[in-house]
Amino acid sequence: MRSTSSKNRTRRAAKSAAALLAAALALALTGCGGGGDKSSDGGSSSGSSGSVKLPKLNGQTLEVAAVWTGAEQDNFMKVMDEFKKRTGAKVNFVPTGNNTSTFLGTKIQGGQPPDVAFLPQVGVLHQFADKGWLKPLGADAKAQLEKNFSKGWVDLGAWKGKQYGVYAKAANKSLVWYNTKAFEAAGITTSPKTWKDFLSTAQTLSDAGSPAVSIGGADGWTLTDWFENVYLSQAGPEKYDQLAAHKIKWTDPSVKDALTTLAQLWGKNDLIAGGTKGALNTEFPKSVTQTFSGSTPAAMVFEGDFVAANINGDTKAKLGTDAKVFPFPAVGSQAPVVSGGDVAVALKDSKGAQALLTFLASTDAAEIWAAQGGILSPNKEMDQSKYKDAITAQIAKQLLAAGDSFRFDMSDQAPAAFGGTAGIGEWKDLQDFLRNPKDVAGTQQKLEADAAKAYAAG
């Protein structure tokens, strides 16, 4: 993580965070029942005035751009409904598609930027700030940010001494979700703790007749998440920081080790739902639905806490009953803790944009959003009981408890041309590797060539 990396962070800290995750998930899945909905009506728990004062913006229309669609977009708009109620402003949502930086860059250069945008890559925040496209946070937004967020999350939204963003939505990307019926049918009673155990579990599931692992390979970002978890656990946090900053090359032996480890799964068609070809034609939402619905569902799907939103919105499976979760298995001495997030930034220097950022940094917005399900908030002052289900609440507590021992998504730290654009860079290179997991050396060379070009361009 560029903004908060430190050589003083140790493997011991990462091990502690991983242990916290395992304990939290065990607690969440004990007596969790079918979901335990709490305060899901989307209203403010603090009344109409709430915990933060906002200006009246009657007659104004704000445009907000983000990557979300479907259930994620609907949940966010519940938060915007409260903002409208308090300020009188209308909010229009514009989906950016997966190429967020390209979409926004075109809008900005065309003189029609949205008022506020959510950037899914911290590297894009750095690029946009360097171009002068971002407006620094005002005093009210900064006050809410500093009151409600830890230094690590505050620093992630800053660049070169200026505070630009609010990480209002976070993700724990070190989770494996599983179909309990598939595990029961295969006679599996414990979740795998190590990579070796994970591969053994996958083989047992496959032998019992279940497609073992669902992979959303049509969306290259899911493959970067696979790599990052393996790499962080196997190579360690110091190497992770170096590779994230391109201080070591992708031809480094540590990358070879991680790709070789991934090939132990990606190279076995019988363990992947639909085989390699099927995975490359499966987008992320389908990777979830084909794990928890259909006549022959897959047994496991790896991805972040946001999988819960897809389970709730697109399947009949019940969290804690039909769908459970365990930490990404340890490849090295401890399990990884990889996080991601969407940072809200102002692209217009307006009263409305600053008011919206102020609201997004408040506990009020965090609690409304959390109540919808499928989201984690880094807001440490919010009422944790507002989370829609016990699983998400415990994952959120773990994320906060991890402190500085977690690592931010590596591809999200890279220039968008390498780590954040469909069809090119790391996304395509790892898709090609999924297609041919035997070509470790060639994949390394391609990754390094694409990374060198993107980092040199800034």
Side-chain angles (χ1 to χ4, degrees):
M1 184 188 314
R2 290 179 184 171
S3 303
T4 58
S5 62
S6 169
K7 292 183 179 179
N8 293 325
R9 293 187 192 139
T10 64
R11 288 176 177 242
R12 185 185 305 170
K15 187 172 184 178
S16 175
L20 276 168
L21 174 56
L25 295 182
L27 177 61
L29 295 177
T30 303
C32 182
D37 289 4
K38 300 175 184 178
S39 304
S40 59
D41 60 359
S44 168
S45 63
S46 305
S48 60
S49 60
S51 68
V52 60
K53 292 182 179 180
L54 300 172
K56 290 299 180 183
L57 302 169
N58 295 318
Q60 295 189 33
T61 298
L62 302 181
E63 188 172 86
V64 178
V67 70
W68 314 311
T69 58
E72 283 190 298
Q73 179 182 331
D74 293 341
N75 292 344
F76 172 69
M77 290 310 294
K78 295 287 182 64
V79 184
M80 294 300 93
D81 288 344
E82 181 67 14
F83 180 76
K84 176 181 178 180
K85 175 182 173 183
R86 296 193 193 185
T87 64
K90 180 180 179 181
V91 177
N92 290 334
F93 182 88
V94 179
T96 65
N98 280 332
N99 293 336
T100 301
S101 63
T102 300
F103 174 89
L104 292 174
T106 300
K107 296 274 283 185
I108 293 167
Q109 291 173 325
Q112 295 181 316
D115 295 87
V116 170
F118 282 83
L119 308 179
Q121 292 99 18
V122 68
V124 175
L125 182 147
H126 299 166
Q127 288 178 301
F128 280 19
D130 285 340
K131 291 176 181 291
W133 289 351
L134 304 183
K135 311 302 177 185
L137 292 190
D140 291 341
K142 286 179 67 175
Q144 287 294 313
L145 185 67
E146 291 168 2
K147 173 185 175 183
N148 297 323
F149 293 77
S150 67
K151 185 178 185 299
W153 288 102
V154 172
D155 288 350
L156 275 173
W159 184 238
K160 295 182 178 178
K162 293 184 179 180
Q163 191 71 46
Y164 291 104
V166 175
Y167 270 90
K169 185 176 187 289
N172 184 321
K173 291 191 170 188
S174 298
L175 303 171
V176 179
W177 301 79
Y178 67 98
N179 185 314
T180 57
K181 291 181 180 178
F183 268 51
E184 290 168 4
I188 299 170
T189 58
T190 59
S191 58
K193 303 296 190 298
T194 68
W195 183 256
K196 181 179 178 180
D197 291 342
F198 180 74
L199 293 175
S200 177
T201 297
Q203 190 63 60
T204 299
L205 289 161
S206 179
D207 292 344
S210 293
V213 184
S214 176
I215 299 177
D219 288 322
W221 60 266
T222 68
L223 304 183
T224 70
D225 290 346
W226 273 101
F227 173 82
E228 288 155 9
N229 276 273
V230 168
Y231 189 84
L232 176 58
S233 182
Q234 190 170 48
E238 290 78 17
K239 281 277 191 180
Y240 186 97
D241 291 339
Q242 291 169 8
L243 187 61
H246 202 220
K247 292 182 178 178
I248 58 174
K249 295 183 177 182
W250 285 81
T251 50
D252 189 86
S254 61
V255 177
K256 176 183 178 180
D257 291 342
L259 292 175
T260 301
T261 297
L262 275 176
Q264 294 171 356
L265 173 65
W266 291 6
K268 293 188 176 181
N269 270 323
D270 61 319
L271 300 185
I272 301 173
T276 296
K277 184 177 180 180
L280 286 166
N281 289 319
T282 299
E283 295 179 340
F284 162 69
K286 183 181 176 182
S287 74
V288 179
T289 57
Q290 71 182 15
T291 306
F292 299 103
S293 62
S295 57
T296 55
M300 299 182 287
V301 60
F302 154 71
E303 254 312 333
D305 55 275
F306 43 83
V307 165
N310 296 83
I311 294 173
N312 285 330
D314 302 328
T315 78
K316 295 181 180 179
K318 301 297 182 183
L319 289 173
T321 303
D322 306 310
K324 293 186 179 182
V325 63
F326 58 85
F328 193 94
V331 183
S333 59
Q334 64 278 322
V337 181
V338 176
S339 178
D342 297 274
V343 59
V345 296
L347 300 178
K348 286 185 180 178
D349 191 10
S350 68
K351 184 177 181 180
Q354 290 296 333
L356 183 51
L357 291 176
T358 300
F359 183 58
L360 290 169
S362 73
T363 57
D364 298 347
E367 289 168 6
I368 295 168
W369 209 346
Q372 311 313 313
I375 177 184
L376 299 185
S377 173
N379 191 312
K380 62 184 176 63
E381 299 299 325
M382 67 166 282
D383 181 354
Q384 298 291 313
S385 72
K386 296 299 181 181
Y387 278 103
K388 187 173 184 177
D389 60 82
I391 291 178
T392 306
Q394 293 299 330
I395 294 171
K397 288 179 181 178
Q398 179 274 333
L399 184 63
L400 293 176
D404 282 344
S405 65
F406 72 95
R407 286 298 187 270
F408 200 83
D409 186 296
M410 187 187 295
S411 64
D412 288 351
Q413 299 182 53
F418 178 66
T421 305
I424 63 174
E426 189 181 0
W427 290 20
K428 183 180 185 302
D429 296 341
L430 289 179
Q431 287 174 323
D432 290 343
F433 181 63
L434 176 59
R435 187 175 290 108
N436 181 17
K438 294 181 179 179
D439 189 17
V440 173
T443 299
Q444 284 187 269
Q445 292 168 4
K446 190 66 168 66
L447 284 163
E448 175 54 29
D450 289 342
K453 181 179 178 181
Y455 279 86

